């Protein structure tokens, strides 16, 4: 928001905060009780207990109104450590997950103040470093558990840390949801615990971008016996030790929801260093866990991704194998390219509809066979690359952004991606054509698709408010021309959970600004080397 709208929201927020704070004081409670009595015609029949009930519900109303007005999707985070450490971890997570609102809770019972539905709360992370109960009042603890269980069964995501599932916490519903049969105390560790990726973890979306091995000063490891029918997937285990009991990170898809348990960060005589510092590896693990349970559209944590526009086109001919290889060598995060189909059905990578330097001698790609087109392109010293060649070259090295330039070949592209075993979290498909995105989604439902906007300067108003088109196409994000990403555009769309990719950005100062703009997930540039340098600076902040 900006201008008058921002000022109005500021007044509303201050007013709601004042009411929230007033409800925490004895005088505020009496005032609320008096106002309710007055609204009922001064009957004066409300008891003190009713007044307390009104106070609690008033706080819930305040929280709900704040959330509704802000439009943020929430990640609720509670950590049973001191406030300074908890705030430090929350701030680090906000940097790694800038596209959701991480709300730090003072106590687990504050969960009850929020509308616990996946459409509002995308994940709950309860990081218990000690045998800390969700509440000392068994009635409240049971209510928290019931709400969390209902939330998970309806598609919510829960991340749990260490002792949350230890038997003395009495979280029986959560233990059942995690598929745990028995928990056993192992021993205190005086040396860091070595994490090693399992065979399952090597291909799991949560752990695929995490290192194969790393160490955390955890302090303790619990031994877990999983139920036989729980279908728990252990992604990391203690190095050199086999068997799921030594699992350090485990996931489970339970009914409609997703759960992650991290055997990390104990609180013995003192807080484990992995979370007290906190270590980069712990934050990356926690962020990746939240990202997986929320099923976020974001492709990677941290500063926005850098895309090589038509390959590293500033260092080689655009959409050529040489440009693609340079992009890989420069460690771009993904390659952006354009797909067209020849007369004889070959899927080639070329931006323009024709091959040739001028209109008179150019060959229309859709009207000519591949051999003839390749002969002309080779003569121009810019040989055509095929989609299949790119899939083979890039697999295991880099992600892809595949732009559909025309319609009618969506099913072929989806089939080729599946044939070459490209997982859906390693590529995205974009297009200016709504029908192409809709059709591709029908062919490959797990794939992420982005709506391209900003092709014409005369459609500025239509592009400035693309929400209806995004919903209509089922797009996961928007890829906008750089000139559109002004005046809170990215922030507005990110609040509606549509990350923004920006094309084509070649100015260094502009790159630097966009890489620090909330809501911007990807920056596409011809100058990959410069963009990667700016990305490194942004990630060091």
């Amino acid at each position: 928001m900006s201008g008058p709208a921002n000022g109005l929201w500021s007044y509303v927020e201050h007013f709601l905060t004042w009411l929230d704070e007033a409800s925490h004081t004895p005088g505020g409670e009496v005032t609320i009780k008096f106002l309710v009595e007055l609204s009922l015609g001064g009957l004066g029949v409300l008891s003190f207990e009713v007044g307390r009930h009104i106070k609690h519900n008033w706080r819930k109303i305040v929280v709900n109104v704040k959330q509704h007005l802000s439009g943020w999707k929430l990640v609720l985070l509670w950590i049973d450590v001191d406030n300074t450490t908890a705030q430090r971890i929350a701030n680090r997570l906000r940097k790694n997950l800038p596209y959701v609102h991480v709300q730090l809770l003072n106590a687990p019972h504050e969960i009850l103040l929020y509308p616990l539905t996946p459409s509002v709360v995308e994940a709950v992370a309860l990081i218990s470093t000690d045998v800390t109960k969700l509440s000392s009042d068994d009635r409240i603890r049971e209510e928290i558990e019931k709400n969390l269980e209902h939330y998970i069964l309806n598609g919510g995501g829960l991340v749990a840390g260490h002792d949350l599932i230890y038997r003395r916490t009495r979280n029986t519903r959560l233990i059942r949801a995690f598929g745990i049969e028995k928990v056993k105390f192992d021993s205190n560790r005086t040396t860091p615990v070595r994490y090693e990726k399992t065979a399952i973890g090597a291909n799991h979306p949560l752990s695929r971008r995490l290192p194969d091995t790393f160490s955390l000063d955890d302090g303790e490891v619990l031994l877990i016996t999983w139920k036989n029918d729980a279908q728990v997937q252990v992604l990391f285990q203690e190095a050199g030790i086999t068997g799921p009991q030594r699992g350090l990170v485990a996931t489970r898809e339970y009914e409609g929801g997703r759960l992650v348990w991290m055997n990390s960060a104990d609180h013995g005589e003192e807080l484990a260093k992995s979370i007290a510092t906190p270590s980069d590896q712990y934050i990356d693990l926690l962020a990746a866990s939240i990202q997986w349970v929320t099923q976020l559209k974001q492709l990677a944590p941290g500063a926005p991704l850098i895309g090589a526009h038509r390959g590293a086109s500033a260092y080689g001919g655009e959409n050529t194998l040489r440009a693609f290889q340079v992009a890989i060598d420069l460690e771009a995060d993904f390659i952006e390219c354009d797909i067209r189909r020849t007369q004889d059905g070959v899927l080639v990578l070329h931006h323009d509809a024709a091959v040739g330097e001028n209109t008179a001698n150019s060959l229309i790609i859709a009207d000519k066979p591949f051999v003839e087109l390749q002969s002309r392109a080779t003569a121009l010293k810019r040989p055509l690359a095929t989609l299949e060649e790119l899939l083979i070259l890039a697999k295991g090295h880099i992600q892809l952004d595949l732009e559909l330039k025309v319609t009618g070949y969506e099913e072929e592209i989806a089939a080729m991606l599946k044939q070459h075993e490209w997982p859906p979290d390693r590529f995205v498909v974009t297009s200016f054509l709504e029908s192409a995105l809709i059709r591709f989604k029908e062919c490959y439902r797990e794939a992420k698709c982005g709506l391209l906007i900003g092709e014409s300067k005369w459609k500025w108003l239509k592009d400035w408010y693309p929400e209806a088109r995004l919903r209509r196409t089922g797009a996961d994000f928007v890829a906008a021309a750089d000139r559109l990403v002004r005046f809170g555009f990215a922030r507005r769309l990110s609040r509606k959970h549509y990350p923004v990719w920006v094309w084509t950005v070649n100015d260094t100062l502009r790159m630097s600004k966009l890489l620090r703009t909330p809501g911007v997930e990807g920056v596409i540039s011809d100058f990959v080397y410069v963009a990667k340098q700016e990305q490194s600076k942004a990630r060091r902040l």
Side-chain angles (χ1 to χ4, degrees), residues 183-201:
V183 182
K184 182 181 178 182
F185 170 80
D186 183 14
S187 62
N188 290 322
R189 302 301 177 90
T190 56
T191 58
V193 177
R194 188 74 176 165
Y195 284 61
E196 184 175 72
K197 196 176 289 184
T198 64
I200 294 174

Side-chain angles (χ1 to χ4, degrees), residues 107-320:
H109 68 77
E110 291 186 358
I111 289 172
L112 302 176
L113 298 175
Y114 292 85
L116 211 58
T117 60
S119 61
V120 177
V121 177
E122 294 196 296
V124 177
L126 302 174
I127 309 304
S128 180
T129 66
D130 204 353
V131 187
T132 308
K133 294 181 181 179
L134 295 176
S135 175
S136 56
D137 186 324
D138 285 342
R139 181 181 56 83
I140 295 176
R141 179 188 53 75
E142 180 67 17
E143 187 178 358
I144 294 170
E145 274 207 274
K146 284 174 65 177
N147 277 267
L148 285 172
E149 184 179 48
H150 184 266
Y151 169 66
I152 294 165
L153 293 176
N154 283 278
L158 176 62
V159 177
H162 206 261
D163 280 339
L164 191 77
I165 45 77
Y166 202 55
R167 60 183 178 274
R168 292 209 309 269
T169 62
R170 299 183 183 176
N171 298 328
T172 54
R173 291 175 183 266
L174 297 183
I175 290 172
R176 181 171 63 247
F178 277 95
I180 292 169
E181 183 73 41
K182 186 170 62 175
V183 182
K184 182 181 178 182
F185 170 80
D186 183 14
S187 62
N188 290 322
R189 302 301 177 90
T190 56
T191 58
V193 177
R194 188 74 176 165
Y195 284 61
E196 184 175 72
K197 196 176 289 184
T198 64
I200 294 174
N203 295 308
H204 196 281
L206 187 158
S207 51
R208 190 177 288 133
R209 294 186 182 89
L210 296 173
D212 291 340
T213 60
F214 58 91
S215 295
L216 286 178
D217 198 336
D218 286 335
E220 176 187 295
V221 172
L222 298 179
L223 300 182
I224 305 296
T225 302
W226 310 97
K227 293 180 180 178
N228 292 331
D229 60 345
Q231 297 182 322
V232 173
Q233 294 185 308
V234 175
L235 308 186
F236 285 93
Q237 62 189 15
E238 194 170 351
I241 299 175
T242 59
Q245 282 195 327
R246 294 284 182 152
L248 299 175
V249 180
T251 66
R252 187 187 186 199
E253 296 193 42
Y254 180 57
E255 300 294 340
R258 290 182 169 187
L259 302 102
V260 177
W261 177 68
M262 301 189 302
N263 198 350
S264 308
D266 177 50
H267 201 150
E269 293 184 4
E270 59 182 27
L271 188 60
K273 293 179 182 178
S274 59
I275 192 171
T277 308
S279 70
D280 292 340
Q281 292 88 345
Y282 181 79
I283 293 297
D284 288 344
L285 177 58
L286 182 54
S289 300
I290 292 172
Q291 186 179 359
W292 182 72
V293 299
T294 57
Q295 306 177 53
L296 288 178
K297 303 173 181 73
Q298 179 189 358
L299 290 186
L305 305 174
I306 298 300
H309 185 232
R310 305 176 193 171
S313 52
Y315 312 96
E318 64 179 42
N319 281 316
T320 61

Side-chain angles (χ1 to χ4, degrees), residues 375-418:
S375 177
R376 174 62 61 84
T378 303
L380 296 171
K381 297 183 179 180
R382 193 171 292 177
L384 293 174
T386 66
L387 176 59
E388 188 165 26
E389 287 174 329
L390 176 59
L391 294 181
I392 294 170
L393 174 71
K395 188 174 181 180
H397 300 291
I398 196 169
Q399 299 176 83
L400 298 178
D401 172 5
L402 309 173
E403 182 184 342
L404 309 183
K405 302 299 290 186
V406 295
T407 59
Y409 57 12
E410 299 86 355
E411 190 172 353
E412 295 174 46
I413 295 172
M416 186 175 290
L417 286 163
K418 293 175 182 178

